[in-house]
């Protein structure tokens, strides 16, 4: 069996095109174009790349992008003061504080300072809390897990009643992905570093989301034949034989897993582009909320 490929690159393009069309329509109606403020604290090279991609994408889609960079030794009060300033700035519809923050900072307190209506990452405890509660909806859903579910929906994978296994329990991906799957009536198991019989648990999954941060950990015999597998991991492997001197891979051993899975979203080329697309969509939503075009 060879899995069908979930083409995150193509699906993300459609999401971005819809966001751009929404921006055009808002501007035609006389509203300001949506604005996203990014906050980067310190000098993490990967974070710099991600934030740069988010800013460029805003501009490509006709949105405003406001970039703030603070030094590594910024105090908690300085970071929170910047967030409060952005909360009060009418041109800013969404605020994204890039994680991880330097170790001396309390990220939960920073995220809590972001206005719930501008929390386009969906990491504010109120939005996360609503995600965890039955019958309640967050204003925004975290972008990477939202992208995972969007991919599964797009190819028609049934979530209701499915056995879903999430590998990883991070605040950014694993936990919100599990909560989203529960909201969609899946039966969810969250696996982590203390899980016993990991491969056996994964093999029960109709839907397997790998967000564990381990290079090609998910092997062929971890996957139930026909399962849908979403690879969230991104790892850069040095390799002198490659033109760039490295190649990218994920948490899933793609070449072997594609032989048993029913659907597979590869890494790279799967969830990565979806994360930014969902952020753009959330920023448009934030602008619509700010202008009273969506009632929440
Ligand atoms: N770091 C890794 N992923 C993310 C994300 O989706 N949002 C933010 N703010 N930081 C991240």
């Amino acid at each position: 069996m060879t899995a069908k490929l979930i083409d995150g690159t193509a699906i993300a393009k459609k999401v971005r095109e819809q966001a751009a069309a929404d921006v055009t329509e808002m501007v035609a109606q006389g509203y300001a174009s949506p604005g996203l403020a990014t906050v980067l604290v310190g000098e993490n090279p990967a974070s710099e790349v991600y934030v740069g991609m988010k800013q460029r994408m805003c501009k490509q889609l006709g949105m405003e992008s406001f970039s703030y960079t603070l030094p590594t030794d910024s105090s908690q009060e300085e970071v929170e003061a910047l967030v409060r300033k952005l909360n009060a700035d009418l041109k800013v519809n969404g605020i994204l504080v890039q994680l991880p923050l330097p170790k001396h900072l309390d990220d939960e307190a920073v995220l809590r300072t972001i206005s719930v209506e501008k929390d386009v990452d969906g990491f504010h405890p109120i939005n996360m809390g609503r995600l965890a509660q039955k019958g309640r909806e967050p204003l925004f859903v975290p972008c990477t897990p939202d992208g995972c579910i969007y991919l599964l929906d797009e190819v028609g994978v049934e979530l209701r009643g499915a056995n879903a296994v999430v590998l990883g329990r991070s605040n950014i991906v694993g936990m919100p992905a599990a909560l989203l799957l529960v909201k969609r009536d899946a039966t969810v198991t969250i696996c982590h570093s203390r899980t016993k019989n990991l491969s056996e648990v994964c093999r029960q999954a109709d839907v397997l989301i790998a967000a564990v941060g381990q290079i090609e950990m998910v092997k062929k015999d971890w996957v139930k034949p026909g399962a849908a597998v979403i690879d969230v991991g991104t790892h850069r492997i040095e390799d002198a034989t490659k033109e760039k001197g490295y190649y990218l891979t994920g948490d899933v051993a793609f070449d072997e897993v594609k032989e048993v899975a029913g659907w597979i979203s590869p890494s790279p080329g799967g969830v990565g582009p979806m994360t930014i697309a969902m952020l753009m969509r959330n920023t448009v939503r934030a602008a619509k909320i700010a202008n009273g075009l969506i009632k929440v």
Side-chain angles (χ1 to χ4, degrees):
M1 176 173 196
T2 305
K4 283 179 265 187
L5 207 63
I6 305 180
D7 186 350
T9 305
I11 297 170
K13 183 163 177 272
K14 279 205 300 185
V15 174
R16 291 196 306 266
E17 283 167 358
Q18 183 59 56
D22 285 359
V23 171
T24 305
E25 193 182 329
M26 282 183 72
V27 172
Q29 289 171 357
Y31 297 103
S33 63
L36 175 69
T38 58
V39 177
L40 178 62
V41 186
E43 291 173 2
N44 179 327
S47 291
E48 284 168 14
V49 171
Y50 292 138
V51 166
M53 286 162 69
K54 291 166 186 177
Q55 290 163 352
R56 279 193 298 281
M57 190 57 73
C58 278
K59 289 180 187 142
Q60 266 182 39
L61 303 189
M63 296 196 254
E64 300 291 332
S65 156
F66 310 100
S67 159
Y68 294 84
T69 307
L70 295 178
T72 310
D73 60 359
S74 301
S75 68
Q76 185 75 26
E77 187 45 39
E78 284 166 331
V79 180
E80 290 182 20
L82 173 58
V83 170
R84 280 194 294 273
K85 185 180 105 165
L86 298 172
N87 283 343
D89 187 336
L90 294 178
K91 293 195 294 300
V92 171
N93 299 116
I95 302 171
L96 179 136
V97 177
Q98 186 65 26
L99 302 174
L101 289 171
K103 284 204 167 44
H104 67 281
L105 295 172
D106 173 354
D107 59 0
E108 208 260 335
V110 172
L111 297 173
R112 194 169 64 216
T113 308
I114 297 173
S115 156
V116 178
E117 288 79 17
K118 297 191 179 189
D119 177 36
V120 286
D121 254 329
F123 295 154
H124 190 290
I126 288 183
N127 279 321
M128 284 293 280
R130 286 183 184 162
L131 189 62
Q133 290 177 332
K134 199 174 167 189
R136 313 231 162 105
E137 294 298 333
L139 268 67
F140 302 97
V141 173
C143 302
T144 303
D146 203 14
C148 295
I149 303 295
Y150 196 99
L151 291 176
L152 292 164
D153 283 341
E154 192 70 12
V155 298
V157 171
E158 179 67 87
L159 296 178
R160 175 177 287 183
N163 281 335
V165 172
V166 180
L167 257 177
R169 54 179 161 179
S170 71
N171 290 334
I172 294 177
V173 187
M175 188 55 74
L179 295 171
L180 275 171
L181 287 161
V182 170
K183 274 219 183 308
R184 294 291 302 273
D185 299 326
T187 303
V188 181
T189 305
I190 303 173
C191 295
H192 46 74
S193 52
R194 300 286 181 270
T195 299
K196 291 181 183 142
N197 305 323
L198 192 53
S199 59
E200 214 170 283
V201 176
C202 289
R203 218 168 24 244
Q204 307 304 313
D206 302 309
V207 173
L208 178 60
I209 297 186
V212 71
Q214 298 287 333
I215 300 165
E216 299 183 6
M217 186 185 201
V218 176
K219 309 287 188 213
K220 185 176 177 171
D221 62 350
W222 290 37
V223 175
K224 178 172 165 177
V229 179
I230 306 287
D231 190 353
V232 182
T234 310
H235 309 279
R236 190 172 155 147
I237 314 290
E238 304 303 320
D239 183 343
T241 68
K242 303 286 179 209
E243 202 176 311
K244 289 182 174 167
Y246 68 88
Y247 68 93
L248 297 174
T249 187
D251 289 351
V252 175
F254 178 82
D255 286 338
E256 53 180 274
V257 169
K258 76 175 190 329
E259 298 304 324
V260 284
W263 289 100
I264 188 163
S265 164
S267 178
V271 174
M274 288 304 291
T275 296
I276 298 188
M278 299 322 255
L279 176 66
M280 299 298 111
R281 199 163 94 132
N282 279 353
T283 304
V284 173
R285 176 172 163 79
K288 288 185 180 174
I289 290 171
N291 286 301
L293 299 172
I294 297 178
K295 297 272 178 274
V296 290

